[in-house]
Amino acid sequence: IINNYLDGTRGGAVDKASPSGMHFRDSKRKVDYVLAYHYRNRLARHPPGAGSPEPTRGSASSALVLNGGMGTGRAELPRQDDGRRALQERPGLEVIELGPPDALEEEKRLQREEYERNLVEAGLEIEKDPENKSQGLSFVRIHAPWQVLSREAELLKIKMPTKKMYEITEEGGILKKLNEIWCKVTEPLQPQVPQQENTNMKSLSYPFSREKIYLYNIKDKDTFFDNATRSRIVREILKRTSTKARNSMGIGTLIANNVYDAAYPLHDGEYEGQNDDMNERKLLYREWARYGVFYKFQPIDLIRKYFGEKIGLYFAWLGLYTEFLIPSSVVGIIVFLYGCITIESDIPSKEMCDQRNAFTMCPLCDKFCDYWNLSSACATARASHLFDNPATVFFSVFMALWATMFLEQWKRLQMRLSYFWDLTGLEEEEEHPRPEYETKLVQKKLKNKNIRTENSNEDEKEKLTWSDRMPGYAANFGLILFMIMLTFSAVFGVIVYRITTAAALSFSTNETTRSNVRVTVTATAVIINLVVILILDEIYGAVAKWLTEIEVPKTEKTFEERLILKAFLLKFVNSYAPIFYVAFFKGRFVGRPGHYVYVFDGYRMEECAPGGCLMELCIQLSIIMLGKQLIQNNLFEIGIPKLKKLFRKLKDERTEPKEMDTNQSKDPQQWDLDYILEPFTGLTPEYMEMIIQFGFVTLFVASFPLAPLFALLNNIIEVRLDAKKFVTELRRPDTVRAKDIGIWYNILSGIGKLSVIINAFVIAVTSDFIPRLMYQYAYSQNGTMHGFINHTLSYFNVSHLKAGTQPENSPFAQDVLFCRFKDYREPPWSPNQYEFSKQYWAVLSARLAFVILFQNLVMFLSVLVDWMIPDIPKDISEQIKKEKSVLVDFFLKEEHEKLKLIESFIARDKQKHKSGTKGERIRAASFCQFNRSQKGSFASFSSQHTEV
């Protein structure tokens, strides 16, 4: 061993990478974790005529192995002075002094060496590549031996299966029969993944303990902990191992300071290829992460095993949500078809389309617009009926109950998964502080040193107070308020665009252009809204992250929760502000003929179409929802990672010199392939797009019954898109144990409650449901809808129009005495002309009464559903109780067997004590006394002792 590099030429070792790319070069020890970094060796100059300079740090062909490599004793990292001495001793080489960039590189190298020494002291085994180029990419491969794994598993209280198996009690009767039938019917839809041989039996799990190692079913120490658990254990060690330089704590700080580029566990080999070696990654790709298997159920247990509980819960939630969209889509299609079928029998639409009903309407703009006949808006009225009919009220109630049932069913599924994944009783793990928090804390300590005498006890307990975070909180409040105002400004800008464009097109001499003003303006405005939403969404995501960082949260969990709340608030306002405007504000502040409300002197506020604003709300909702799903959720999600990967590859090719590296294996290893992949940045973007979609499905479903159908079609693709991204395009995430989906459940519950209120107002205020109901039962002479259109139109005397606003060159000006407009106002011959009529106040009262009644009724039904469906399934609660009793019995039995073993040993010892020496008797007595010590209980034996 020269400088701890194994010299292949001298030692006879062959520089061979491990065949699988998953092991050290000895092909025995697994690579549990990889650290990657870029290095730049210091420059060396040689006089003319001399040969090429040798590499400054080890020209050996093999890798550096620490703590468990060849040779005797524990290896140590080569230090800087060794390299300097070796360089100076070489003839013909001249040492060049380090410049500022090289000094920084040297500092990073020293930090790496110190950190890796500390990892070795913690018991990990390390293998490094030789840095035999002037600059390049290098990897540190880490292996955790059994001693480290067992120690850390005990500290982390990781539940592991014991030798004990117990039977799972199944529900009997009709439910069992239905379950069997369902399993047979859905058999072609099940993924072809390995299943437990006996599904009625479950291993009893218990937090790992070295003292009770005899309890566990350890067939092979190398495979007892699976790859995901091994990488999780190594990650915990990496997070808590510190370096003195810059007071850095853990790998997170070192990556933040660019000492290392990345730290990641390895994937289980290639996901596609001709070889027959099947691994979990390849299995997930074949049975889950391809569009060709979109019809199959997800292998949730395998996903959890490979990616961890947190990601497993996300895909379980997404799968349940997608399944629940099927019944809501069916009901939505039925509601839409009901509108199509009843369109011919809808009396108000017939009256509006009837040419004989000469409803002469007031001009839509000043001077350039003429009087017009209501029958020209026939197509709009008929289209509005598709979404504005009595069935939409039923659908709103149904969707409110659907949201409640979905959340209740998720709680039940979550408990079921917690039981089978051994998450019951999972305690919150103490998290390490974030690197940014530590840096801020160090700055505070240094600042306070000048004020008071340093006290080590106080420094240990010192933390950031609210006064330290006040600038961050103030910036958060101000910027979030600014961003919300920016969203409202964008909406107002689109409103101004609609008003001015409508006015400009009305001046056109082209008859076709003037007749299609409303369609043109609506379509272009919605597209502009969509583009603005997509742009602001990306900006708000970055701003929310920056705002959370300046708050300096202590732990990653706190950081994630605050980031989620900020991002959700900004994206919620951004996505729904244009829809809220159309639903509740458009057409409410128009005024009346002769007294219109103007914007920017001469531009009238825009009105709703003759059929109401619900049709426009439907168009707005559908285009924004479909546009976001198609462009943001699919194209961006596929395209952006590929562009990032290409950019990183080009950057590496540009920064890394093209040197011939004959020592390196021709075939790239798994750590090389995984480094090229995109790093995993968390589940927040995945959840966020689904939560926003959940809002589209529930909040304004009264205006767009087909929303669940489009969401379902999107999610069928989304599940496989996310799956493919996780399996093929992302580095393997660290496994994180979680027993629920966290703050996302509270956001879902809040949206569900808000949807009840919003749908109540959409039905009462935006649609014509209440005015129609009031007319039929209060004002109609024969109890039918005949005469409804005439009832909703008020009269206006054209002579009362302001000077300069009358239609120019109108062929009807001489014949028209009165024009009509949609509102409940007194006629011009009334003493209180143009004031709100009694019908207006009656309809307004009915609208408010409906909102209160609808909200309370639906809330009551939701609470009833919540109460009727227990959060924990009955069979699971019984199994949890059974598991506890089985665990107690198992421990008592094992302790009893140990007692019998010791008693038999004592009995044999007594039989032999006559022939034995006095010293042997003393040792036997000491042995018995030792085993009866420790709080009066028998000490635990290892499995080897038990055999003896």
Side-chain angles (χ1 to χ4, degrees):
I1 300 179
I2 302 173
N3 254 358
N4 299 308
Y5 284 92
L6 304 182
D7 192 342
T9 56
R10 299 188 187 189
V14 182
D15 180 27
K16 240 182 184 180
S18 93
S20 64
M22 300 290 297
H23 294 78
F24 277 15
R25 294 181 186 266
D26 59 9
S27 297
K28 293 178 182 177
R29 287 171 290 171
K30 280 184 181 177
V31 176
D32 296 318
Y33 222 86
V34 174
L35 306 179
Y37 64 92
H38 279 88
Y39 65 88
R40 185 170 69 248
N41 280 324
R42 53 185 164 157
L43 303 173
R45 201 163 54 216
H46 55 94
S52 299
E54 298 177 31
T56 57
R57 294 197 62 204
S59 58
S61 60
S62 197
L64 168 67
V65 181
L66 299 177
N67 198 14
M70 293 174 63
T72 59
R74 178 170 291 182
E76 291 187 7
L77 286 162
R79 298 182 183 274
Q80 173 62 23
D81 51 2
D82 298 331
R84 185 184 296 275
R85 196 180 305 113
L87 191 64
Q88 288 173 344
E89 287 172 359
R90 292 181 186 173
L93 284 177
E94 178 188 349
V95 177
I96 296 176
E97 291 300 320
L98 298 176
D102 294 319
L104 180 62
E105 189 65 31
E106 186 65 18
E107 184 187 348
K108 289 180 183 178
R109 190 183 69 78
L110 291 172
Q111 284 189 61
R112 284 196 294 268
E113 288 178 0
E114 183 192 355
Y115 184 68
E116 287 158 20
R117 275 197 301 273
N118 293 341
L119 291 179
V120 170
E121 287 172 8
L124 297 175
E125 295 173 7
I126 290 177
E127 182 182 71
K128 290 187 72 174
D129 289 331
E131 298 175 6
N132 52 9
K133 293 193 286 187
S134 61
Q135 62 180 20
L137 178 67
S138 189
F139 296 96
V140 178
R141 296 176 286 283
I142 301 171
H143 168 76
W146 169 257
Q147 293 83 356
V148 175
L149 292 171
S150 56
R151 179 191 74 209
E152 296 298 321
E154 186 171 350
L155 287 172
L156 296 171
K157 299 178 181 177
I158 297 175
K159 283 188 174 182
M160 299 303 293
T162 62
K163 296 174 185 176
K164 177 68 176 175
M165 301 279 287
Y166 68 96
E167 188 177 1
I168 299 173
T169 309
E170 291 186 347
E171 294 181 1
I174 190 168
L175 288 174
K176 186 178 180 181
K177 290 288 184 185
L178 290 172
N179 188 43
E180 288 174 358
I181 294 168
W182 174 252
C183 288
K184 286 181 181 178
V185 170
T186 59
E187 193 173 350
L189 307 180
Q190 298 294 339
Q192 302 299 312
V193 296
Q195 300 287 345
Q196 189 179 335
E197 292 180 4
N198 191 352
T199 54
N200 293 332
M201 301 297 290
K202 182 180 184 291
S203 291
L204 186 67
S205 296
Y206 186 73
F208 188 81
S209 171
R210 285 174 292 177
E211 287 186 354
K212 297 181 175 60
I213 199 167
Y214 58 88
L215 297 175
Y216 304 97
N217 190 17
I218 304 176
K219 295 177 182 177
D220 184 359
K221 287 183 178 180
D222 290 336
T223 57
F224 179 64
F225 296 104
D226 60 18
N227 290 348
T229 308
R230 294 174 70 101
S231 65
R232 178 185 165 212
I233 288 171
V234 174
R235 179 73 182 188
E236 286 299 321
I237 298 173
L238 294 175
K239 281 162 70 176
R240 69 165 184 257
T241 302
S242 60
T243 57
K244 292 177 183 176
R246 295 192 183 181
N247 297 301
S248 62
M249 179 71 181
I251 190 65
T253 312
L254 294 172
I255 291 175
N257 294 334
N258 296 316
V259 177
Y260 289 101
D261 290 346
Y264 53 91
L266 292 180
H267 277 293
D268 286 358
E270 294 278 4
Y271 63 88
E272 58 183 354
Q274 301 302 321
N275 57 339
D276 296 328
D277 296 335
M278 181 57 71
N279 58 59
E280 289 180 352
R281 188 187 187 194
K282 187 179 287 186
L283 194 60
L284 282 170
Y285 179 74
R286 288 186 180 178
E287 296 297 325
W288 178 54
R290 294 187 301 115
Y291 296 114
V293 291
F294 73 92
Y295 59 91
K296 287 189 177 183
F297 291 117
Q298 299 185 90
I300 291 296
D301 289 327
L302 185 59
I303 296 167
R304 169 252 177 178
K305 184 184 175 187
Y306 192 80
F307 291 112
E309 284 78 8
K310 192 171 185 179
I311 293 173
L313 282 172
Y314 164 70
F315 281 105
W317 175 84
L318 181 58
L320 182 70
Y321 172 48
T322 305
E323 287 174 17
F324 258 71
L325 284 171
I326 295 172
S328 59
S329 300
V330 171
V331 176
I333 292 169
I334 291 170
V335 169
F336 179 74
L337 291 176
Y338 171 83
C340 296
I341 293 166
T342 57
I343 195 168
E344 295 299 331
S345 59
D346 183 49
I347 296 171
S349 299
K350 282 183 176 180
E351 287 186 349
M352 193 179 287
C353 295
D354 194 349
Q355 297 284 350
R356 294 170 296 179
N357 294 329
F359 294 115
T360 304
M361 307 298 291
C362 296
L364 295 172
C365 65
D366 296 342
K367 291 178 69 175
F368 298 99
C369 296
D370 200 358
Y371 302 105
W372 57 286
N373 201 309
L374 186 60
S375 60
S376 62
C378 173
T380 311
R382 289 171 67 87
S384 296
H385 178 75
L386 298 175
F387 305 100
D388 188 2
N389 57 68
T392 55
V393 180
F394 157 76
F395 191 54
S396 299
V397 177
F398 170 81
M399 286 304 293
L401 298 179
W402 172 88
T404 305
M405 290 188 70
F406 164 63
L407 293 175
E408 286 303 307
Q409 190 60 31
W410 168 244
K411 282 195 283 188
R412 290 169 63 83
L413 178 60
Q414 198 169 248
M415 279 305 303
R416 191 174 292 277
L417 293 175
S418 295
Y419 166 69
F420 284 105
W421 292 354
D422 297 318
L423 298 173
T424 50
L426 180 68
E427 298 176 2
E428 290 289 334
E429 296 176 6
E430 186 178 352
E431 288 191 71
H432 300 286
R434 298 177 65 248
E436 293 81 2
Y437 180 86
E438 288 180 331
T439 306
K440 191 84 172 175
L441 199 59
V442 168
Q443 290 172 359
K444 183 182 179 181
K445 287 178 182 179
L446 293 173
K447 185 179 177 183
N448 291 343
K449 271 185 183 179
N450 303 326
I451 301 170
R452 56 178 171 77
T453 308
E454 186 179 0
N455 188 323
S456 60
N457 292 330
E458 287 183 13
D459 281 348
E460 286 175 7
K461 295 179 181 178
E462 194 165 15
K463 61 182 181 180
L464 298 182
T465 60
W466 67 269
S467 57
D468 299 317
R469 291 193 172 101
M470 185 51 69
Y473 290 151
N476 267 264
F477 178 78
L479 272 172
I480 287 174
L481 199 61
F482 171 76
M483 291 294 168
I484 292 173
M485 295 307 296
L486 179 65
T487 303
F488 291 157
S489 302
V491 174
F492 183 71
V494 175
I495 293 169
V496 171
Y497 163 80
R498 294 162 73 117
I499 293 170
T500 52
T501 308
L505 292 177
S506 300
F507 301 156
S508 174
T509 54
N510 191 328
E511 186 64 31
T512 309
T513 306
R514 279 192 294 175
S515 61
N516 295 319
V517 166
R518 196 180 296 276
V519 176
T520 307
V521 169
T522 301
T524 54
V526 172
I527 292 168
I528 292 170
N529 264 327
L530 175 62
V531 173
V532 169
I533 286 170
L534 293 176
I535 294 170
L536 289 182
D537 252 5
E538 299 303 315
I539 294 171
Y540 287 169
V543 168
K545 188 175 181 182
W546 180 74
L547 288 175
T548 312
E549 284 172 351
I550 63 174
E551 270 189 47
V552 200
K554 185 175 181 180
T555 62
E556 284 296 338
K557 184 180 179 183
T558 314
F559 178 86
E560 187 180 25
E561 287 182 351
R562 292 184 183 180
L563 173 62
I564 288 167
L565 285 174
K566 288 183 188 64
F568 174 73
L569 174 64
L570 292 172
K571 292 191 176 188
F572 181 90
V573 173
N574 183 41
S575 297
Y576 299 119
I579 300 169
F580 268 93
Y581 164 72
V582 174
F584 302 123
F585 298 101
K586 185 179 177 183
R588 311 289 166 199
F589 311 103
V590 178
R592 58 170 179 81
H595 197 271
Y596 284 114
V597 176
Y598 289 89
V599 184
F600 301 128
D601 189 33
Y603 292 103
R604 271 164 48 177
M605 283 293 289
E606 56 179 346
E607 303 177 46
C608 289
C613 273
L614 199 70
M615 187 61 202
E616 191 170 338
L617 176 62
C618 172
I619 295 169
Q620 184 104 1
L621 187 68
S622 59
I623 292 179
I624 290 176
M625 180 183 175
L626 294 175
K628 272 181 70 68
Q629 288 185 167
L630 181 65
I631 298 170
Q632 195 174 40
N633 297 4
N634 293 326
L635 293 181
F636 282 12
E637 206 164 333
I638 295 169
I640 289 177
K642 290 188 182 297
L643 289 174
K644 284 183 178 178
K645 184 178 176 181
L646 179 64
F647 176 75
R648 194 166 56 250
K649 187 178 178 183
L650 292 172
K651 184 182 176 184
D652 287 343
E653 286 177 357
R654 190 169 63 251
T655 56
E656 198 168 323
K658 295 181 180 178
E659 298 179 21
M660 291 299 291
D661 190 3
T662 55
N663 298 326
Q664 214 173 18
S665 175
K666 290 182 180 179
D667 296 327
Q669 296 296 297
Q670 191 61 46
W671 46 85
D672 295 307
L673 297 171
D674 285 6
Y675 179 77
I676 299 168
L677 300 177
E678 190 71 16
F680 174 68
T681 55
L683 286 169
T684 301
E686 316 302 331
Y687 272 115
M688 187 66 72
E689 64 186 58
M690 288 295 104
I691 297 294
I692 295 294
Q693 186 204 79
F694 183 78
F696 281 119
V697 168
T698 54
L699 291 178
F700 295 94
V701 75
S703 63
F704 189 42
L706 295 179
L709 175 64
F710 289 115
L712 173 64
L713 296 175
N714 174 78
N715 285 11
I716 290 170
I717 301 169
E718 181 72 23
V719 171
R720 306 302 159 180
L721 181 64
D722 283 349
K724 189 174 183 181
K725 184 169 70 173
F726 273 85
V727 173
T728 67
E729 294 175 6
L730 294 180
R731 292 176 193 157
R732 188 171 185 172
D734 295 302
T735 56
V736 179
R737 288 176 75 82
K739 57 184 178 182
D740 52 39
I741 60 173
I743 197 171
W744 294 112
Y745 180 84
N746 299 328
I747 293 174
L748 283 167
S749 181
I751 290 176
K753 290 178 173 61
L754 183 63
S755 69
V756 177
I757 300 168
I758 289 178
N759 280 307
F761 275 99
V762 168
I763 295 166
V765 177
T766 313
S767 77
D768 278 342
F769 177 73
I770 299 300
R772 291 186 183 200
L773 214 61
M774 283 290 294
Y775 176 77
Q776 187 171 358
Y777 295 104
Y779 300 110
S780 177
Q781 295 178 355
N782 51 9
T784 64
M785 292 301 294
H786 290 287
F788 172 73
I789 298 297
N790 186 51
H791 178 75
T792 58
L793 298 177
S794 299
Y795 286 90
F796 180 78
N797 192 332
V798 296
S799 62
H800 295 166
L801 286 170
K802 286 184 179 179
T805 62
Q806 299 93 338
E808 291 183 350
N809 305 319
S810 171
F812 311 106
Q814 303 298 326
D815 303 326
V816 177
L817 298 175
F818 298 99
C819 65
R820 310 292 294 271
F821 63 100
K822 191 174 182 180
D823 208 346
Y824 291 103
R825 291 183 181 266
E826 296 289 347
W829 52 83
S830 169
N832 302 317
Q833 59 179 6
Y834 308 132
E835 294 291 327
F836 287 119
S837 63
K838 291 179 182 178
Q839 287 90 338
Y840 172 83
W841 298 110
V843 170
L844 181 62
S845 303
R847 290 182 197 269
L848 295 175
F850 175 83
V851 169
I852 295 167
L853 181 66
F854 181 90
Q855 179 185 331
N856 285 283
L857 174 65
V858 175
M859 287 289 189
F860 169 75
L861 292 174
S862 299
V863 170
L864 186 65
V865 169
D866 190 357
W867 175 75
M868 289 175 65
I869 302 174
D871 292 349
I872 305 175
K874 187 179 178 182
D875 60 324
I876 295 298
S877 61
E878 289 175 357
Q879 294 299 332
I880 291 172
K881 291 175 186 174
K882 182 180 178 181
E883 188 176 54
K884 288 179 181 177
S885 64
V886 169
L887 186 64
V888 172
D889 293 342
F890 179 56
F891 270 100
L892 289 173
K893 184 180 177 183
E894 288 292 331
E895 292 294 326
H896 184 63
E897 287 179 0
K898 275 170 43 185
L899 180 62
K900 285 170 64 178
L901 178 67
I902 293 169
E903 285 177 348
S904 64
F905 179 81
I906 294 167
R908 287 198 302 271
D909 186 60
K910 283 180 179 178
Q911 289 174 4
K912 294 177 182 179
H913 83 284
K914 293 179 182 179
S915 59
T917 63
K918 185 179 179 181
E920 288 173 342
R921 289 200 297 273
I922 291 168
R923 281 197 297 274
S926 301
F927 177 78
C928 295
Q929 189 174 358
F930 170 75
N931 280 288
R932 290 183 181 276
S933 64
Q934 298 186 1
K935 300 180 183 178
S937 63
F938 289 99
S940 303
F941 280 75
S942 68
S943 55
Q944 289 86 349
H945 292 160
T946 307
E947 288 170 11
V948 170

